[in-house]
């Protein structure tokens, strides 16, 4: 016992020495990151264990912090008590001494707030983060999780970066300072800016905007506590819709990034969205096994599609009246928007998730653990089917060559394929992994 | 309790813990005190193939008196070889070679030889043999976490890794391979969450220094490969398979060795999952170290892949001042119960009073309370064997037939919902007849399970109407006659048992050809066996082969496959059949099975007294499955006749039958008792006047009317089963607020107490003295005379009240709400 407590004291002294005595502890820079990483997953908006939340400054103070008085702060007592049943984080080791001392100092200094809004979520308060550089050459493959093109280059999700490739497969540009994984890439209609949804699984989600011409570090448009799966410009480029992990969709002004509308109704993360070309309707796909269509002007849901029984991975408008959704349940289903009635189960194969759907002028493409299928728009006739890959085709997109029907797909191991509907033209392939 | 006591209460435990630490820490010296005759090591020879493998040694000392003591972490273990490193009895290989190991303790020596091979070759972490077992061992793929059918927090695994394809997709594919990071493996969600580097609702499962972390990290770093390679695992072996431990030496290291198709063996002690069947008795950590907590017995459920072994551990302790008092033995039942009690150092309670005995035996054998007359005769009898004679007498009464037929009605789900009302009566009469004739149990089972022809002519065939389809018939048979809750295995391998999905469909194959044809007559079903029809296994899509538990797949010669099953079931090679029934009968009169829950037989739920169960079963078989004889054996034992008052020498015992455990009357017993005590028995719908609740053929003869709460609802409130499940657990023994309300001011009780023609009011009209009315009432309700102070207390109440009639109603109410009435003790 003696030995333990003296080593405890020793480490305490070391820690106190390490925390600069003069500089006051910053809530946003030092306290918020710890709360976010260690506390919010159980005491946040998604799950508020024992009705405690610490995901905003105000919630944290209400959870039992008495400014200036660590002895009076139940919150602090919970960090240091030796009673394992009471100590937080629950069922885990005690916080490192360095972090506990940070809390002690911050509370004793008066528990000051140095952010914008005391009701803002912690990740909104965290300072902009510079992401680590990607590896020069990747030590292994990486599943393609996002793909887009302006007709000349193909933008592909990388590791802490977006890579740009020429159509013949040469690496032409690396856009760094990105979240660990990128889940969507969208080009502004003027093709000068790239909007991306990204994040680190279980920790952080971001939407970042990168100006292709200036090459300046990306601007952070939105943050979340879990990866953000999709962010899309409206057809006129004036709005940005963001699929949030909390089940909401945020509509922002694309210049000021101010939130204009928040669409709610999904009970789990939204993973894909699609603007209708009318610029008003927005289709959404969620892990709650449903798809919806919202009127973004009114901020209301118009229709809900409940025919899937597992996560809906993708949703796309086919025309004015119809949309198509694909799901982990192994089906692709076509719906009538009015009334939310199912028109057809386009594809159904148990235990083979359908991961992505893309729509061009004349056809649509389905891919995933199934063979990739291409159908004619309108008649829904099967045009071609590719049995070749023995790996999952994880994502798809279209090559923005305005009148042509050229699809892009990316696979589990990083293989990019450019598809032509015209069967005469050879499909081309390259591996979009920096080597 | 004043504050000092209060404080002491809190202090007691820490002190106990400190004392425990003091006794555990210098266990080296304690073990020194036990003089040993020899020491041994297991295994003595082993070959470790591959650098990821290791070997757990188990070192055992034999004390002079023969007791075995685990020395694994105490004995000095040395080697002069550089090929291996030894720590805590675990050998980690370093390079190829042969190493001699010397184990020394108290001057005794044992030797082991370990050969290490393939150390110079890379050994990849195996998805099947390392990664999935780690997830099972760490609790990730358990039923309450990600192994639940819908997973947790969006992450789903198969239960204990039983579906590798599902796990492969969840771990390596889902959400763009969200959970494994092949570029920076240590940043994988699969590691950060369980190591609590980021918050994890499931808590910290392992640290970054632990072997579990290392294996998962290396598996990811090697590319997260999921190809199934190498020979398959064929089974596991646990050492020691059985062990008696005595305080304070209650540690026991286990070792688990897996065998593979190519004949190789690997130590998987560090990868197996351990769980104590009775966690109050002991705990087992991830390294396979058992630590005793208190006296008792428990199995350790050891799981690796889908293999399960269940070594038994018994813990005994010297209790200060304990002295075995050689209580008298009435028969072999007592002998076996006392053997167990003596070894665990519990003293059996003394015999109960005659007044307690007569109430107990009536309720257990007949389901009703004894009349004043019956009590009088019994108490006036002064012969030594009067209890034995009463038992014999009761077993011949018709109430016994009816009461025990109702128990079978519960098991066989006799209800108008599943079979028509006329057939309910018929089936019930058939059951009563079987009980009355004391039909041998094997014949009884045979007649039910092999029923053919018209259900009108053969009421036993109604079994196949309650169990209306192939799966139901198999599940009910397994539950009732094999004591196995096999339903889980329909969709996945059983989570606690060796039952697999293959077994489920193998058993189902016996029932698949049974045909149920409607005839032109109403409510008649014709049972017959088709000559073909196979069961498809839903996963493998192959034809399921008829399979029985101990013998495996069997050839069926009979046209009716059920015959082969019943032949095996009732054969001498299947003692389980007899065990289930003797345990059921034991539980029905003792309140708790030797195996508990008493219809849940499995290796991971061992009997509280195995020799007792064996003995009862062998007696039962030898007697030709004579149920009355078995009951007589149990009821005549002192064990059955012990007092329910515990002493300091047995109060800690809840499962070894040192004293009788009081239990509340069943719903039906209670309604009958209320009617008997007040003199206003309840009349039931659809049965002759005078039919008791304990004789009702079905719980749903009266059409259910939600608007009219109070009538038959009373039975439901007190736990009467609806007979929708063959599980004994359907009869609820929960205490609820509804029960208190029913007893305090429910319609049934109120009507009985206020009725002008009940015992009290009639006696008052006949000018019986109130004190006599109270005496009579006590004898009916409690089967005993009131004490003088009780009589005085009640008389005073009547005097103060002024209105004798109302005062007596109050007293009646109080008596009926007293535990002495509500409980059998």
């Amino acid at each position: 016992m003696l030995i333990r407590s003296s080593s405890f004291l020793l480490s305490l002294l070391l820690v106190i020495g390490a925390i600069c005595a003069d500089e006051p502890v910053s809530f946003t820079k030092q306290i918020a990151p710890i709360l976010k990483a260690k506390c919010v997953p159980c005491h946040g908006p998604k799950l508020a264990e024992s009705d405690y939340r610490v995901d905003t400054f105000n919630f944290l103070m209400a959870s039992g912090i008495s400014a200036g008085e660590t002895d009076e702060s139940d919150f602090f007592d919970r960090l240091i008590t030796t009673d394992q049943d009471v100590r937080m984080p629950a069922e885990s080791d005690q916080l490192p001494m360095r972090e506990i001392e940070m809390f002690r100092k911050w509370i004793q200094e008066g528990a000051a707030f140095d952010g914008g809004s005391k009701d803002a979520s912690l990740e909104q308060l965290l300072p902009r983060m510079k992401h680590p550089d990607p590896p020069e050459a990747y030590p292994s493959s990486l599943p393609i999780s996002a793909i887009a093109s302006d007709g000349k280059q193909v933008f592909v999700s990388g590791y802490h970066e977006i890579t740009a490739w020429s159509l013949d497969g040469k690496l032409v540009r690396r856009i760094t300072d990105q979240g660990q994984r990128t889940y969507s890439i969208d080009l502004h209609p003027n093709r000068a800016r790239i909007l991306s949804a990204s994040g680190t699984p279980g920790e952080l989600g971001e939407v970042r905007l990168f100006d292709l011409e200036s090459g300046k570090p990306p601007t952070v448009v939105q943050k979340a506590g879990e990866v953000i799966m999709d962010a899309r410009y409206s057809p006129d480029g004036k709005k940005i819709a963001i699929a949030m992990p909390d089940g909401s969709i945020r509509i922002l002004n694309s210049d000021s990034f101010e939130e204009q509308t928040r669409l709610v109704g999904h009970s789990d993360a939204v993973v894909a969205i699609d603007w209708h070309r009318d610029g008003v309707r927005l289709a959404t796909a969620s892990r709650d096994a449903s798809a919806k269509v919202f009127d973004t002007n009114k901020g209301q849901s118009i229709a809900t599609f409940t025919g899937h029984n597992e996560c809906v991975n993708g949703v796309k408008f086919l025309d004015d009246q119809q949309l198509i959704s694909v799901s982990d349940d192994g089906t692709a289903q076509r719906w009538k928007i009015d009334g939310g009635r199912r028109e057809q189960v386009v594809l159904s194969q148990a235990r083979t998730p359908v991961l992505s759907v893309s729509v061009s002028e004349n056809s649509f493409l389905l891919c995933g653990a199934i063979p990739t299928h291409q159908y004619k728009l309108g008649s829904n006739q099967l045009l071609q089917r590719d049995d070749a890959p023995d790996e999952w085709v994880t994502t798809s997109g279209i090559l923005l060559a305005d009148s042509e029907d050229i699809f892009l797909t990316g696979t589990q191991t990083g293989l990019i394929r450019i598809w032509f509907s015209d069967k005469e033209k050879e499909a081309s392939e390259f591996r979009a992994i920096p080597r | 309790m004043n504050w000092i006591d209060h404080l002491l209460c809190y202090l007691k435990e820490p002190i106990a813990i400190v004392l425990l630490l003091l006794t555990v820490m210098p266990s080296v010296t304690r073990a020194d005190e036990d003089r040993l005759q020899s020491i041994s090591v297991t295994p003595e020879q082993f070959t470790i193939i591959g650098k990821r493998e290791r070997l757990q040694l188990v070192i055992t000392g034999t004390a002079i008196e023969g007791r075995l003591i685990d020395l694994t972490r105490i004995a000095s273990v040395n080697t002069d070889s550089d090929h291996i490193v030894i720590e805590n009895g675990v050998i980690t290989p370093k390079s190829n070679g042969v190493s001699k190991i010397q184990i020394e303790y108290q001057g005794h020596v044992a030797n082991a030889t370990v050969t290490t091979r393939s150390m110079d070759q890379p050994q990849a972490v195996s998805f099947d043999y390392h990664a999935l077992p780690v997830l099972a061992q760490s609790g990730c793929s358990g039923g309450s976490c990600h192994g639940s059918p819908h997973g947790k927090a969006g992450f789903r695994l198969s239960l204990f890794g039983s579906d590798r394809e599902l796990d492969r997709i969840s771990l390596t594919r889902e959400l763009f391979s969200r959970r494994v990071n092949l570029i920076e493996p240590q940043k994988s969600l699969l590691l950060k969450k369980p190591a609590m580097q980021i918050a994890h609702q499931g808590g910290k499962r392992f640290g970054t220094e632990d072997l579990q972390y290392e294996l998962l990290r290396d598996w990811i770093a090697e590319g997260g490969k999921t190809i199934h390679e190498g020979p398959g695992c064929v089974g596991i072996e646990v050492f020691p398979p059985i062990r008696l431990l005595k305080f304070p030496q209650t540690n026991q290291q286990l070792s688990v060795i897996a065998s593979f198709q190519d004949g190789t063996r690997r130590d998987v002690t560090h990868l197996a999952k351990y769980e104590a069947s009775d966690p109050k008795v002991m705990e087992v950590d991830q390294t396979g170290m058992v630590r005793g907590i208190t006296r008792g017995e428990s199995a350790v459920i050891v799981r690796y892949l889908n293999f399960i072994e269940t070594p038994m551990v018994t813990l005994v302790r010297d209790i200060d001042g304990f002295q075995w008092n050689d209580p008298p033995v009435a028969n072999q039942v007592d002998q076996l119960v006392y053997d167990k009690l003596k070894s665990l150092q519990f003293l059996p309670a003394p015999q109960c009073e005659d007044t307690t005995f007569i109430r107990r035996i009536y309720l257990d054998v007949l389901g009703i309370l004894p009349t004043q007359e019956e009590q009088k005769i019994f108490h006036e009898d002064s012969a030594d064997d009067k209890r034995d004679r009463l038992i014999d007498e009761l077993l011949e009464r018709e109430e016994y037939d009816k009461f025990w037929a109702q128990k079978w009605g519960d098991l066989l789900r006799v209800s108008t919902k599943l079979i028509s009302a006329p057939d309910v009566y018929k089936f019930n009469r058939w059951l009563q007849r079987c009980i009355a004739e004391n039909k041998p149990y094997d014949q009884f089972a045979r007649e039910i399970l092999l029923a053919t022809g018209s259900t009108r002519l053969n009421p036993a065939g109604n079994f196949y109407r309650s169990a209306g389809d192939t799966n139901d018939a198999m599940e009910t048979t397994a539950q009732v006659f094999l004591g196995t809750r096999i339903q889980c295995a329909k969709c996945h391998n059983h989570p606690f048992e060796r039952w697999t999905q293959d077994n489920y469909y193998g058993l189902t194959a016996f029932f698949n050809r049974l045909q149920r044809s409607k005839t032109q007559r109403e409510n008649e079903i014709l049972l017959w066996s088709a000559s073909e029809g196979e069961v498809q296994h839903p996963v493998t899509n192959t034809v399921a082969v008829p399979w029985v538990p101990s013998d495996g797949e069997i050839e069926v010669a009979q046209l009716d496959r059920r015959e082969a099953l019943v032949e095996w079931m009732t054969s001498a090679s299947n003692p389980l059949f007899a065990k289930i029934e003797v345990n059921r009968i034991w539980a029905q009169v003792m309140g708790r099975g030797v195996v508990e829950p008493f219809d849940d037989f499995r290796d991971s739920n061992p009997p509280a007294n195995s020799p007792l169960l064996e003995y009862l079963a062998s007696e039962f078989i030898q007697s030709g499955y004579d149920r009355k004889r078995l009951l007589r054996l149990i009821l005549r034992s002192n064990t059955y006749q012990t007092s329910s008052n515990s002493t300091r020498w047995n109060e800690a015992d809840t499962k070894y039958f040192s004293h009788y455990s009081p239990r509340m009357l069943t719903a039906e017993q209670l309604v009958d008792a209320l009617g008997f005590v007040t003199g206003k028995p309840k009349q039931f719908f659809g049965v002759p006047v005078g039919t008791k609740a304990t004789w009702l053929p079905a719980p749903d003869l009266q059409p259910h009317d939600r608007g009219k709460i109070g009538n038959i609802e009373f039975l439901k409130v007190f736990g009467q089963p609806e007979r929708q499940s063959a599980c004994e657990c359907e009869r609820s023994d929960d205490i609820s607020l509804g029960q208190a309300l029913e007893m305090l001011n429910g319609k049934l009780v109120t009507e009985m107490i206020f009725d002008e023609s009940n015992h009290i009011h009639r006696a008052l009209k006949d000018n019986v003295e109130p004190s006599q009315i109270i005496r009579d009432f006590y004898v009916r309700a409690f089967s005993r005379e009131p004490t003088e102070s009780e009589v005085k207390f009640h008389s005073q109440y009547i005097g103060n009240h002024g209105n004798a009639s109302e005062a007596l109603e109050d007293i009646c109410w109080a008596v009926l709400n007293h535990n002495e009435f509500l409980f059998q003790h």
Side-chain angles (χ1 to χ4, degrees), chain B residues 417 667-668 670-671 674 682-685 696 699-722 736 738-739 741-743 746-749:
Chain B
K417 265 190 217 79
E668 294 91 341
L670 184 59
V671 171
L674 286 168
K682 168 108 185 93
Q683 297 301 321
F684 297 98
F685 181 90
L696 286 176
D700 56 352
L701 293 172
Q702 182 161 19
H704 190 67
D705 183 355
R706 278 260 160 240
K708 262 195 193 166
I709 294 175
N711 276 340
I712 202 126
E713 286 288 334
F714 186 93
L715 289 170
K716 298 268 179 289
V717 171
F718 281 85
Q720 180 195 37
E722 306 240 11
S736 70
Q739 295 173 350
L741 292 176
E742 281 289 350
M743 286 309 298
K747 186 172 169 225
L748 183 113
V749 177

Side-chain angles (χ1 to χ4, degrees), chain A residues 93 159 203 226 351 412, chain B residues 163 177-178 184 192 204:
Chain A
D93 300 335
Y159 191 77
E203 290 179 61
E226 177 54 90
R351 267 192 145 180
Q412 181 69 29
Chain B
D163 182 349
S177 309
R178 165 189 169 87
E184 293 182 277
K192 282 168 129 184
K204 184 172 172 176

Side-chain angles (χ1 to χ4, degrees), chain B residues 295 318-329 333-349 609 639 642 649-650 653 656-658:
Chain B
R295 279 181 287 171
D318 280 331
I319 301 296
D320 267 351
F322 176 87
Q323 208 165 8
W324 183 246
N325 57 357
D326 277 318
V329 169
V333 169
D334 292 334
Q335 191 60 56
L336 295 167
V337 169
Y338 293 168
D339 284 350
K340 175 64 75 179
L341 291 176
K342 190 177 174 185
S343 75
L344 293 172
Q345 304 201 358
F346 290 115
L347 281 188
N609 187 330
T639 302
T642 52
W649 302 112
N650 61 31
D653 165 38
Y656 302 104
F657 311 107
S658 61

Side-chain angles (χ1 to χ4, degrees), chain A residues 37-38 41-42 47 89-93 135 138-145 159 180-181 183 201-203 226-227 229 287 310 351 392 394 412, chain B residues 154 156 163 165-166 168-169 172-184 187 189 192-193 195-205:
Chain A
K38 302 283 173 68
C42 297
L47 183 84
E91 291 179 49
S92 183
D93 300 335
Y138 289 13
S140 87
S141 66
L142 185 73
I144 305 289
S145 45
Y159 191 77
Q180 190 191 80
R181 307 287 308 276
Y183 296 97
E203 290 179 61
E226 177 54 90
V227 296
M229 298 296 288
R287 203 163 291 157
E310 279 181 68
R351 267 192 145 180
W392 286 18
T394 45
Q412 181 69 29
Chain B
R156 181 171 54 156
D163 182 349
E165 183 57 17
L166 186 150
R168 182 182 76 86
I169 289 176
T172 69
R173 288 284 183 274
E174 238 172 47
L175 301 161
F176 307 104
S177 309
R178 165 189 169 87
R179 299 181 179 109
V180 292
N181 185 333
L182 301 185
I183 293 178
E184 293 182 277
K187 287 195 178 170
L189 204 56
K192 282 168 129 184
K193 283 268 184 183
M196 210 58 182
Q197 288 166 315
I198 56 173
H200 178 216
Q201 258 186 66
K204 184 172 172 176
R205 312 311 305 183

Side-chain angles (χ1 to χ4, degrees), chain B residues 160 195 212 240 271 306 348 370 380 396 471 502 571 614 637 670 714 752 780 806:
Chain B
F160 298 128
Q212 288 82 0
L271 294 170
N306 56 347
E380 281 170 1
E396 296 311 316
N471 289 340
D502 296 354
S571 72
E614 300 284 341
S637 70
L670 184 59
F714 186 93
M752 285 179 173
R780 279 197 302 275
E806 279 181 23

